[in-house]
Amino acid sequence: MTKTLGLIALAAATLTGCAATGDMTAGGVAPATGEAIRYSVSPCYGTCPVYAVTVLPSGQVMFDGQEHTAAKGQQEKQAGVAAYRRFAAALAPYRPMTGITAATQCEQQVSDQQGYRIAWVGADGRETVLTHDRGCLSPTNRALNTVMDAAPKMLGIGAWIGR
């Protein structure tokens, strides 16, 4: 019994030590854990920018400018782990249950708006997907539009989009 209690105390002390430093690597940089977040922006009936973005947990951002963007084709940058975490946290309230594809629900519909496909991709390649039409209006969807409007600045890719 004393031996068991000693092992439990040792395990608790080890876990406590890990909790204090478990969020950092030896270099003081947060480890790259979590899901990659990919989003693509569809065309509208005009000159809306069309592009796709992948944000890795390490903070690496890959951009693919397709139409009406200042930067065409593949671009990459390191936005940082903090940018990834801010973006992931901003999207968290809209994330569907793991492994499913869901769409936002409309209360009112405005036509000719861009759409988003937002995917959270696990290390095993499993996707959780939310599709959203910017013209699909409700208080929740307006808040999601605000998050997506802020994403280029948050990720440091606004100059590549050009708007």
Side-chain angles (χ1 to χ4, degrees), residues 8-9 14 28 40-41 45 50 72 78 82 84 90 95 97 110 119 129 147 159 161:
I8 292 172
T14 302
S40 56
V41 184
Y45 293 102
V50 178
K72 300 287 188 211
Q78 179 55 252
Y84 167 82
R95 186 186 185 282
M97 288 182 15
V110 176
V129 178
V147 169
I161 297 165

Side-chain angles (χ1 to χ4, degrees), residues 12-138:
T14 302
L15 289 175
T16 302
C18 289
T21 60
D23 215 19
M24 296 291 178
T25 63
V29 178
T33 59
E35 299 171 306
I37 302 172
R38 295 182 183 150
Y39 75 93
S40 56
V41 184
S42 68
C44 66
Y45 293 102
T47 59
C48 299
V50 178
Y51 59 95
V53 176
T54 300
V55 187
L56 301 179
S58 65
Q60 187 70 21
V61 177
M62 282 97 43
F63 173 88
D64 180 19
Q66 298 162 6
E67 296 177 30
H68 311 293
T69 57
K72 300 287 188 211
Q74 302 290 322
Q75 311 292 323
E76 285 191 36
K77 72 173 295 176
Q78 179 55 252
V81 174
Y84 167 82
R85 288 183 177 166
R86 279 191 304 275
F87 188 51
L91 287 174
Y94 311 100
R95 186 186 185 282
M97 288 182 15
T98 299
I100 68 168
T101 297
T104 55
Q105 300 300 306
C106 294
E107 289 179 10
Q108 295 178 314
Q109 180 71 42
V110 176
S111 63
D112 303 336
Q113 298 294 306
Q114 289 182 286
Y116 295 104
R117 181 184 189 276
I118 306 165
W120 294 260
V121 184
D124 61 358
R126 185 175 179 185
E127 284 193 346
T128 301
V129 178
L130 177 66
T131 58
H132 173 60
D133 180 330
R134 281 191 69 88
C136 186
L137 302 177
S138 71

